[in-house]
């Protein structure tokens, strides 16, 4: 999720569409998310929904508007400091998705297995008062082939941005939050990946001056709690 853009699977959430194809899967938490998004749209916030590969069935509605939410395959965003960014999900540049779709389904099944394991691991870590830890993130950084794939993917996406005459690209898809700069044919292109909200707990935001930042929610929560502790201590000392 970036600004007011919803990037596939409700911000790279994790395969809701594919799971719905196998069986009905719609927990109450999904209703809460949809309700909050539509509430913002009705209050005047521009919301653009860009379906990803897991919810590709919604791509047939590209160009339409539902409850104030625009459905697009891609969008262009002008930052406060004058940069023009192309915003898209990113599966269009995934060779596995394009050539070996069956392998993508296998990867999706393995990902959901790791999500389940990750849930129980972090439940134990919470009881031990330990911070949140991402199992899939650790695996991606440890497996050589995964690291090479991510690197090539980032380069291909950034090159596509340069070829389209924009300053950079914002995407998701591979669930790996990252910011990198690439140069292709003398043109510099900025690459932003917003990661995912469900397992990586990442979000990409733009500040009022155009500065962009990848947020990791557990770290944000820890910082807020620390500021509250410092404020409480200051009040206690003043009293």
């Amino acid at each position: 999720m970036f600004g007011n853009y919803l990037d596939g699977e409700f911000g790279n959430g994790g395969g809701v569409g594919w799971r719905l194809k196998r069986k009905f899967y719609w927990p109450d938490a999904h209703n809460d998310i949809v309700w909050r998004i539509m509430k913002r749209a009705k209050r005047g916030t521009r919301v653009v929904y860009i379906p990803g590969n897991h919810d590709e069935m919604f791509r047939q509605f590209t160009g339409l508007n539902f409850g104030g939410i625009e459905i697009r395959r891609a969008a262009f965003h002008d930052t406060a400091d004058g940069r023009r960014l192309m915003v898209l999900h990113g599966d269009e540049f995934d060779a596995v998705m394009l050539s070996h779709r069956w392998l993508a389904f296998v990867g999706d099944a393995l990902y959901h297995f790791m999500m389940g394991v990750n849930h129980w691991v972090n439940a134990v870590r919470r009881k031990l008062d330990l911070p949140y830890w991402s199992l899939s993130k650790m695996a991606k950084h440890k497996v050589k082939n995964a690291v090479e794939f991510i690197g090539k993917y980032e380069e291909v996406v950034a090159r596509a941005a340069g070829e389209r005459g924009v300053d950079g690209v914002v995407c998701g898809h591979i669930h790996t939050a990252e910011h990198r700069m690439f140069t292709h044919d003398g043109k510099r292109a900025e690459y932003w990946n917003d990661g995912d909200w469900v397992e990586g707990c990442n979000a990409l935001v733009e500040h009022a001056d155009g500065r962009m930042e990848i947020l990791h929610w557990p770290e944000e929560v820890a910082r807020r709690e620390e500021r509250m502790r410092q404020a409480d201590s200051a009040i206690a000392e003043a009293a």
Side-chain angles (χ1 to χ4, degrees), residues 76 84 159-168 187:
F76 291 90
R84 189 163 178 79
R159 184 189 307 160
E163 292 171 350
R164 286 162 174 78
V166 296
D167 299 304
K187 299 178 180 178

Side-chain angles (χ1 to χ4, degrees), residues 127-184:
K127 290 182 180 297
L128 298 176
D129 200 26
L130 295 173
Y132 178 84
W133 178 75
S134 172
L135 175 61
S136 68
K137 184 177 180 180
M138 180 276 296
K140 288 177 183 177
H141 284 82
K142 291 292 184 181
V143 179
K144 181 180 178 181
N145 288 342
V147 174
E148 291 179 352
F149 169 79
I150 291 172
K152 291 179 180 177
Y153 174 85
E154 293 171 344
E155 185 176 356
V156 168
V157 174
R159 184 189 307 160
E163 292 171 350
R164 286 162 174 78
V166 296
D167 299 304
V169 63
V170 175
C171 65
H173 184 55
I174 59 173
H175 298 247
T176 302
E178 185 63 82
H179 172 231
R180 295 181 65 186
M181 294 296 297
F182 291 89
T183 302
H184 178 66

